[in-house]
Amino acid sequence: MRLLICTAGRHGATHSLGQEMGRVFEHEGVDVDIQAPESVTRVDGYDAVIIGSAVYSDRWVPAAKALVDRVSRSEHPPIWLFSCGPLHSSDRPVNVISDAAHAVSVLHVIAHRTFPGRLDPDKLSVGERQIFDNSGAVAGDFRDWVLVCNLAREILACLTAGTPGS
């Protein structure tokens, strides 16, 4: 089995989630490619694709959105999505991220999950720091490795059962 994991972010938290999923798959003998969305032109030849994006101001990173657009124009294997963030508190359900919702509809995605991320104010640009200071977000590392590994195991179970999404 061959899987492609593509992650888009700015500060490494989203990529680390993709790497952890990759370790789970490799431990089970799966051939995994982890690539930046910008480097992916085709997804044929893979048994599944996982696309992950960081969330900034309730939006996906442009590279992830561009990958969704490219993949949606061709035949593709089953696709799962994940979002890393948002970190602020809100009454809005965390899975209601417009870019992820668009990807779910155009790619007929099996599932989308949102994971908490990591926020280190020292790594933010001046503009990002201003947004952070006014957002109500809290600095820290909120990644939940158990949830990330569980998604990878769910994906693997669906693929080995031959019924994605079951």
Side-chain angles (χ1 to χ4, degrees):
M1 186 179 313
R2 190 167 176 232
L3 303 182
L4 173 64
I5 300 173
C6 298
T7 60
R10 294 185 187 145
H11 303 292
T14 306
H15 185 67
S16 68
L17 299 180
Q19 287 178 311
E20 186 64 21
M21 281 191 248
R23 281 191 275 279
V24 170
F25 294 129
E26 288 172 344
H27 180 75
E28 297 298 325
V30 176
D31 181 20
V32 179
D33 291 332
I34 300 176
Q35 297 185 30
E38 302 89 342
S39 67
V40 176
T41 57
R42 300 175 60 156
V43 296
D44 57 324
Y46 291 99
D47 296 296
V49 176
I50 301 159
I51 301 172
S53 179
V55 176
Y56 294 95
S57 299
D58 292 330
R59 302 304 305 255
W60 266 19
V61 174
K65 294 189 292 188
L67 176 60
V68 167
D69 291 341
R70 285 193 309 277
V71 171
S72 71
R73 292 189 284 260
S74 63
E75 292 290 322
H76 56 78
I79 295 179
W80 280 261
L81 305 176
F82 72 91
S83 297
C84 183
L87 294 174
H88 62 81
S89 61
S90 172
D91 292 333
R92 174 188 51 77
V94 295
N95 276 331
V96 182
I97 298 165
S98 63
D99 297 323
H102 170 74
V104 166
S105 73
V106 300
L107 296 174
H108 308 290
V109 167
I110 305 301
H112 168 249
R113 298 281 170 79
T114 301
F115 299 115
R118 178 187 68 210
L119 181 63
D120 180 353
D122 294 337
K123 293 184 178 181
L124 301 178
S125 69
V126 172
E128 290 171 333
R129 182 62 192 235
Q130 289 175 336
I131 292 169
F132 166 69
D133 288 341
N134 295 312
S135 72
V138 178
D141 189 343
F142 305 99
R143 293 171 292 179
D144 187 326
W145 301 108
V146 172
L147 290 177
V148 171
C149 292
N150 284 345
L151 175 59
R153 289 182 191 99
E154 289 173 27
I155 292 169
L156 189 57
C158 289
L159 291 170
T160 57
T163 55
S166 61

